[in-house]
Amino acid sequence: MKSRILIPAAAALFLVGCGQGSSDSAAVTTAPDSFEQKYSYALGKDIGGSLAQLPKGVDQAYLFQGMRDALDGADGLMDDEEKVVVLNEFRTQMQAAQLEKQQAASSENASKGEEYRKTNGAKEGVTTTASGLQLEVITAGKGDKPAATDTVTVHYAGTLVDGTEFDSSVKRGQPATFPLNGVIKGWTEGLQLMNVGGKYRLVIPPELAYGPAGAGAAIGPNSTLIFEIELLGIEGKEEAEGEAG
C-alpha cells in the first residue's frame, strides 16, 4: 500500500525537476502532439491509475491544487511539516484498510474452501488423508512412486474452488521439473502416492498450500487449491511403459 502512495509522489517530483510545463489546469480534448504533451499525459494517467486503486477516495480539486503548487514551487495551502503528518496518517489508514480487506478475504476463502472440501470428500472415488489432502485417481500409473527427496517432472493445472485457473504447465506447453521436497506440502504428500504415468486430482487445504499468506494476486489468503497433476517421470528412473501421454 505504501508503494501506491509513493508512485504518484515520485512522478510529481519528476515533473517539478523538469522545470517545464504549464500550470493551466483546463481540460484538454485533443490528443497530445508534442513529446512533452505525450509524456505529461502518460504520467497523469499513471498517477491517476495508482490513485484509483486506493480504497479511500481523493478530493480532486485539492489533489490538482497540490500538484499545481508543487509544479509552480509555491508554498501552497499546507506547510511541509503538516504534509508529513497528514501523509503518515493516510498511510496508517490505508494499511488498516488493507489489513481489514485481507482478513475478510481470508475468512471468506476459508469458509468456501471448507464447504468445497466437505462436498468433494463425500464423492465416490475421493480419498481424504489424515492431513486433510483429498485425492481422486483419474488415471492409475504403472511406474515407480517418487520419494520426497526425488526430483519429478509433471504436467499440471491449478484452479481455485470457483474454477478460476491460476497456473497451467499444460497451457504453457512445458512440463515442470522440481525437487519434491521443495514445493507445497500438499504436492509433496500427494505425488508420493502416485505412480509414474498416473494422473490425479488433488484438493489441497490451505494449511497444506499457502496458508493465510496466500501467493501473489492470484491465490488469496487461506485458499483451497485444486490441481490435476500428471506424473511424467522421476529423475534417474525409467518411466513406466505405456504411461499416459
Side-chain angles (χ1 to χ4, degrees), residues 178-230:
F178 51 84
L180 195 49
N181 58 8
V183 290
I184 58 174
K185 293 178 180 179
W187 275 49
T188 303
E189 178 183 352
L191 280 161
Q192 289 183 81
L193 301 174
M194 296 176 62
N195 299 85
V196 172
K199 185 175 183 180
Y200 279 35
R201 183 175 185 269
L202 306 184
V203 176
I204 304 177
E207 58 269 22
L208 300 180
Y210 296 100
I219 301 174
N222 280 331
S223 290
T224 291
L225 306 182
I226 305 162
F227 287 96
E228 285 194 3
I229 305 176
E230 182 180 9

Side-chain angles (χ1 to χ4, degrees), residues 146-152 178-182 188 192 234-235:
T149 53
D150 283 330
T151 294
V152 298
F178 51 84
L180 195 49
N181 58 8
T188 303
Q192 289 183 81
I234 305 170
E235 190 173 279

Side-chain angles (χ1 to χ4, degrees), residues 100-112:
E100 183 178 354
K101 181 179 178 181
Q102 184 175 11
Q103 289 174 337
S106 179
S107 178
E108 182 179 5
N109 290 338
S111 178
K112 287 182 177 179

Side-chain angles (χ1 to χ4, degrees), residues 125-173:
V126 174
T127 300
T128 302
T129 70
S131 69
L133 175 68
Q134 295 181 343
L135 306 97
E136 181 180 1
V137 179
I138 299 173
T139 302
K142 298 180 180 179
D144 293 326
K145 289 183 179 179
T149 53
D150 283 330
T151 294
V152 298
T153 298
V154 304
H155 255 318
Y156 68 92
T159 60
L160 303 176
V161 296
D162 64 1
T164 301
E165 185 175 86
F166 57 82
D167 194 10
S168 174
S169 69
V170 178
K171 285 189 175 179
R172 288 194 298 272

Side-chain angles (χ1 to χ4, degrees), residues 108-120:
E108 182 179 5
N109 290 338
S111 178
K112 287 182 177 179
E114 183 177 0
E115 183 63 29
Y116 184 92
R117 297 193 307 275
K118 180 180 178 181
T119 301
N120 186 70

